[in-house]
Amino acid sequence: MTHISIDIRSLLSQRSNNWSQGTIISFPNSTTFDNSTTRWSTYDAPSYLAAISPANEADVAKTVRLASSHRIPFLATGGRHGYTTTLRDLQGGLAIDLSQLNSYSIDRAAGTLTVGGATTLGDFQDALYETGYMIQSPAVSCPGYVGVTVGSGVGRFTGLFGLVADALISARLVTADGRIIHVSRRQNADLFWGLRGAGANLGVVVSASYQAHKLVNQGQILNADLIFPANKSKEYFDVLHSFIGKMPAKLAIVSLIVFDPVAQAAQIVANWVYIGPREEGLRVMAPVLALNPPVTNIQVVPWNKLAPTAAGGADALICPKNSSHNTWWANLRRLPSSTFQASFDELNNFYKLYPEARGTTINAETFPNQAMAAVPDDDSAYPWRDALGYIQIGVVTESGNAAGDPAAEAGNSLARRLRDSWAATSGYPDLSVYVNYARGDEKLRQRYGSRKLPRLAALKKKWDPRNVFAYNNVLPMEYRG
């Protein structure tokens, strides 16, 4: 546990702090504290001695100044969806819960969206759609939109619109010394560069503005949910591989390998999305539909209903908090069918050996990168604009991945082997991972890219010389490779 010499309860409760009306201070063993600190994932999570839920950005800045001046370690969170294991390094700290900063506003004439530091896609997607706009987004509706942004934000729209961070116009940010500053291409441009890819290391974003896009195809999207049994897995992965180098910008694919309790074996649950007319999308999907999946559900949905509809409504299953998510990811520039099939076979065997770990899944996201790759590499800190896919194993056991659980230990062993095999055939010279997907055990260059790290280290030294933003895949202040 981090040693704090000061009485944090007394410090936060002092009248001289002059907190705004609506700012809430809470402590362990209370419902308010639980509501302010409960995370999406309990795996290697941080712990806190106190929490503060500021009512406004001024109290966020005041909290950062107070904590920094008394050397109290803290973590500011929005959706609390982040799951990197580096967060476990904060034990017995202060939670700065941004959940009250969950507003949004839309400028219809300019086509811009402004959100608070904890606003989620689920908060604003209906209103944005009704205004005639859409925007790049994560695959699910529950992460904080700002939290997605500061890692850069991959998703189904990288072919058409680019990364979530590519839509960012400006942000209001609390610095390490507790100032509130404006960040954009014109103001504090160096910080704006680093914010898009490594922002969790550089400040607390209390609000952000984005450029939205006019609805494509009047906002109507073709969604196809397909299920393939084990005996069709090779054919499916061959079709997936056939899209390398010719993935349409409007197509996005998520392929899940999950346990089928009826067949008592692994199966593929696939979600294919086409951001365009139904007939055009069906022609693009023809190769996979020709495999005649035994379960097929094809429908057209409006953009704002895609996240809750896709993959059979997986959003509702994925988003609830307070579960153990033990995840291992890798980026892909290639889509090797043989590697996918080998991963399928290994997981299928794992299911047989460890029935108590049949909640374990593999998730392969295959997203087009045309718009993402069209942005110059030096435009932002994000280093992986050439990626075509992202693949993950999430180890889930009945014990909640408890220490000493043989199934959890076997799951970790499997995950390491699979991640190594994905890295070896990924098309990258080494393991690489989108930082919002990082487990936390990867080398710095594997998360941030060796060519970006010297500039990022200089930014860290300039904007956070005391390293108060120290727990989310922390950057060094010097980097020599």
Side-chain angles (χ1 to χ4, degrees):
M1 178 178 289
T2 306
H3 178 69
I4 299 177
S5 58
I6 195 166
D7 181 348
I8 192 170
R9 182 186 290 263
S10 297
L11 179 67
L12 292 174
S13 302
Q14 289 175 3
R15 288 188 176 182
S16 59
N17 292 326
N18 195 27
W19 300 116
S20 302
Q21 184 176 1
T23 290
I24 302 168
I25 298 168
S26 60
F27 301 96
N29 302 314
S30 71
T31 300
T32 303
F33 178 84
D34 291 343
N35 290 341
S36 300
T37 58
T38 298
R39 302 189 60 80
W40 179 69
S41 177
T42 59
Y43 189 84
D44 279 349
S47 69
Y48 307 103
L49 297 177
I52 183 166
S53 303
N56 51 48
E57 64 177 28
D59 276 9
V60 176
K62 187 183 297 184
T63 303
V64 170
R65 290 195 298 272
L66 188 68
S68 298
S69 64
H70 290 88
R71 299 189 180 278
I72 297 171
F74 65 86
L75 183 68
T77 60
R80 282 177 255 135
H81 200 87
Y83 48 79
T84 178
T85 59
T86 64
L87 297 175
R88 69 186 169 205
D89 293 338
L90 177 58
Q91 297 296 316
L94 171 65
I96 304 179
D97 164 38
L98 303 178
S99 62
Q100 295 198 75
L101 307 185
N102 63 347
S103 64
Y104 66 86
S105 62
I106 300 165
D107 185 324
R108 183 190 295 267
T112 57
L113 167 73
T114 298
V115 304
T119 308
T120 68
L121 173 67
D123 291 328
F124 67 75
Q125 61 185 353
D126 289 347
L128 189 63
Y129 172 78
E130 290 164 4
T131 311
Y133 291 95
M134 62 201 305
I135 198 166
Q136 47 266 65
S137 58
V140 292
S141 65
C142 44
Y145 200 68
V146 163
V148 173
T149 305
V150 297
S152 276
V154 303
R156 294 183 175 99
F157 297 87
T158 47
L160 279 180
F161 302 141
L163 299 160
V164 170
D166 293 335
L168 184 67
I169 300 170
S170 63
R172 287 179 63 78
L173 178 143
V174 176
T175 61
D177 56 2
R179 292 177 294 127
I180 302 173
I181 64 172
H182 191 81
V183 180
S184 69
R185 292 187 185 276
R186 293 188 177 184
Q187 293 178 268
N188 300 302
D190 61 337
L191 194 54
F192 187 70
W193 179 88
L195 189 65
R196 295 167 296 144
N201 275 266
L202 301 171
V204 180
V205 176
V206 290
S207 67
S209 295
Y210 302 83
Q211 184 63 57
H213 310 274
K214 287 288 188 180
L215 293 174
V216 174
N217 191 45
Q218 299 180 315
Q220 300 303 297
I221 294 175
L222 180 65
N223 180 84
D225 292 329
L226 317 168
I227 297 180
F228 297 88
N231 62 7
K232 284 185 174 286
S233 60
K234 183 182 185 303
E235 295 173 88
Y236 178 82
F237 293 133
D238 285 344
V239 169
L240 200 61
H241 175 75
S242 72
F243 278 92
I244 189 167
K246 52 183 179 181
M247 182 91 168
K250 296 178 181 180
L251 180 66
I253 305 166
V254 176
S255 308
L256 301 170
I257 305 173
V258 303
F259 183 71
D260 176 3
V262 176
Q264 292 288 295
Q267 64 179 349
I268 298 168
V269 176
N271 174 247
W272 288 53
V273 164
Y274 191 78
I275 310 162
R278 174 185 171 89
E279 295 308 314
E280 186 178 294
L282 289 174
R283 287 194 296 272
V284 170
M285 296 180 189
V288 73
L289 296 177
L291 299 179
N292 296 314
V295 178
T296 302
N297 182 17
I298 299 175
Q299 58 184 314
V300 174
V301 297
W303 168 77
N304 59 315
K305 301 303 180 186
L306 178 61
T309 301
D315 193 73
L317 298 175
I318 293 171
C319 282
K321 294 181 178 180
N322 209 30
S323 295
S324 177
H325 297 273
N326 175 12
T327 64
W328 309 65
W329 285 90
N331 295 343
L332 304 174
R333 279 196 303 206
R334 297 191 302 180
L335 308 173
S337 55
S338 59
T339 300
F340 286 170
Q341 183 61 50
S343 299
F344 182 96
D345 292 340
E346 283 218 52
L347 184 56
N348 199 23
N349 187 56
F350 178 75
Y351 288 151
K352 295 173 184 176
L353 294 173
Y354 297 95
E356 65 272 39
R358 287 175 173 172
T360 299
T361 62
I362 291 175
N363 173 21
E365 300 175 339
T366 310
F367 298 146
N369 68 356
Q370 289 90 329
M372 176 175 73
V375 176
D377 179 67
D378 62 359
D379 183 74
S380 75
Y382 186 68
W384 314 118
R385 290 183 177 273
D386 56 352
L388 287 173
Y390 316 85
I391 188 167
Q392 170 241 38
I393 179 170
V395 180
V396 176
T397 71
E398 292 176 357
S399 74
N401 293 299
D405 176 7
E409 292 173 359
N412 283 340
S413 178
L414 171 65
R416 288 189 190 94
R417 290 198 310 276
L418 291 181
R419 189 175 64 173
D420 287 346
S421 72
W422 298 334
T425 58
S426 67
Y428 286 99
D430 191 7
L431 173 67
S432 65
V433 61
Y434 160 48
V435 70
N436 279 358
Y437 288 171
R439 178 175 180 78
D441 66 337
E442 305 89 351
K443 295 179 175 62
L444 278 171
R445 68 173 185 271
Q446 294 170 338
R447 284 172 272 178
Y448 292 111
S450 56
R451 68 190 181 282
K452 305 282 185 173
L453 276 164
R455 185 173 176 183
L456 283 172
L459 273 177
K460 180 72 170 177
K461 187 174 183 178
K462 175 182 176 180
W463 289 99
D464 186 18
R466 291 175 58 186
N467 195 30
V468 301
F469 306 118
Y471 301 103
N472 196 328
N473 294 297
V474 65
L475 287 168
M477 296 190 198
E478 292 186 6
Y479 185 78
R480 297 188 177 89

